[in-house]
Amino acid sequence: QSLGKRLQIEENLLKETAEMPEDPSGNIGLVPQGRTRHNQGDAGYAREVLLWQKVLQEATPGIPASVLQAIENFAVERSMWLKIAAREKGTVLREVVRSTRPRLCLELGSYVGYSAVGMAHEIQDWGGKVVTVEVDPFLSVLARNMAELAGVTSSLQVWTGMSSEAIPRLLDEFGPGSVDLVFMDQKGTRYQKDLLLLERLGLLAENCTVLADNCLTPGAPALLWHLKQRFEHVAAVSVSE
């Protein structure tokens, strides 16, 4: 009950967003996914506010799987696309984590914390850590709340800021060669730049695994070319959204 009170969202805001009129584009009054939302006020995050309400209603505190399931249920029941690595993408990510058993996972682009919570749940078995970086303060706070509700804060840190600023911090806190797994889910135009920064600072472990979303569509040719030159094994896997 105390957790629910601490994380509860304003009832008036929930009421306003729930009653937003439907428009012909099918966005039900929500700001389109691609638009910058910092200047849109509360309505700019209506999708995520409603998602959090759904998670609070359905998830069981301390059970990560229930939090992930509630997020998926929201997307399916409302026919809303969420930028999360679920279904086939989630299977790939989960199997990579299980097979490589990383000590430190770095995720760039938290969104609502779906994949970060999933990785943190897996990595708890061998005492690993997940650091996820999100540039949007609202989404960063939401991801932190998801982590607390799921009970994975002991293995998950959510950092707020730009990847170019967060990556050097990794060197200070974890040391060189500490990153065993990188999951890139931020802007595709940042993929190669962030990987080059990780390499230049010597943060990647010897057998580091790099995963990047949306490399085929809309595509990240510069990153793929760099990976092919830099890494011994490179594979592109086509999966459904």
Side-chain angles (χ1 to χ4, degrees):
Q1 184 178 5
S2 60
L3 177 63
K5 286 182 179 179
R6 278 189 289 133
L7 306 182
Q8 187 62 48
I9 296 174
E10 294 271 344
E11 291 185 4
N12 289 338
L13 175 57
L14 290 173
K15 182 178 179 181
E16 290 172 7
T17 54
E19 294 176 353
M20 294 177 76
E22 198 167 325
D23 71 24
S25 67
N27 286 321
I28 60 170
L30 302 179
V31 175
Q33 182 72 19
R35 186 181 300 173
T36 300
R37 296 183 288 176
H38 295 287
N39 298 320
Q40 296 295 324
D42 293 331
Y45 296 96
R47 183 193 315 258
E48 289 76 21
V49 170
L50 292 173
L51 168 64
W52 179 234
Q53 182 187 37
K54 174 77 168 179
V55 173
L56 283 176
Q57 291 172 344
E58 291 193 358
T60 302
I63 307 297
S66 71
V67 173
L68 302 181
Q69 188 61 58
I71 295 174
E72 293 177 23
N73 291 345
F74 174 84
V76 172
E77 292 170 10
R78 287 183 171 266
S79 298
M80 286 186 184
W81 182 81
L82 296 176
K83 194 180 187 305
I84 58 175
R87 297 186 177 178
E88 291 182 357
K89 289 185 179 181
T91 299
V92 172
L93 181 59
R94 184 167 54 252
E95 290 305 313
V96 169
V97 170
R98 289 175 178 174
S99 62
T100 60
R101 297 177 65 87
R103 299 163 300 167
L104 177 63
C105 294
L106 170 64
E107 179 187 47
L108 299 173
S110 311
Y111 187 43
V112 298
Y114 177 90
S115 53
V117 167
M119 288 191 292
H121 176 50
E122 295 289 343
I123 210 170
Q124 280 180 328
D125 290 344
W126 54 87
K129 298 285 184 183
V130 176
V131 172
T132 182
V133 180
E134 174 56 53
V135 70
D136 187 315
F138 181 96
L139 297 178
S140 179
V141 170
L142 181 54
R144 286 187 185 130
N145 287 340
M146 292 286 187
E148 183 168 352
L149 184 62
V152 295
T153 53
S154 62
S155 58
L156 173 59
Q157 297 180 27
V158 182
W159 293 1
T160 306
M162 300 179 66
S163 55
S164 59
E165 298 173 348
I167 289 173
R169 179 180 165 191
L170 289 167
L171 190 61
D172 295 334
E173 299 207 12
F174 298 99
S178 56
V179 180
D180 298 300
L181 173 63
V182 181
F183 177 44
M184 294 185 167
D185 200 16
Q186 73 278 44
K187 285 185 178 181
T189 54
R190 289 290 321 172
Y191 284 2
Q192 186 185 25
K193 296 175 184 177
D194 290 336
L195 183 58
L196 287 172
L197 180 57
L198 285 163
E199 290 182 302
R200 189 168 71 248
L201 295 177
L203 279 161
L204 302 183
E206 183 177 354
N207 295 314
C208 179
T209 301
V210 178
L211 293 176
D213 196 11
N214 301 318
C215 285
L216 299 179
T217 304
L223 174 72
L224 293 176
W225 176 258
H226 178 73
L227 289 174
K228 186 63 176 176
Q229 305 304 309
R230 169 69 171 80
F231 288 82
E232 184 177 354
H233 302 289
V234 179
V237 181
S238 179
V239 294
S240 61
E241 284 288 343

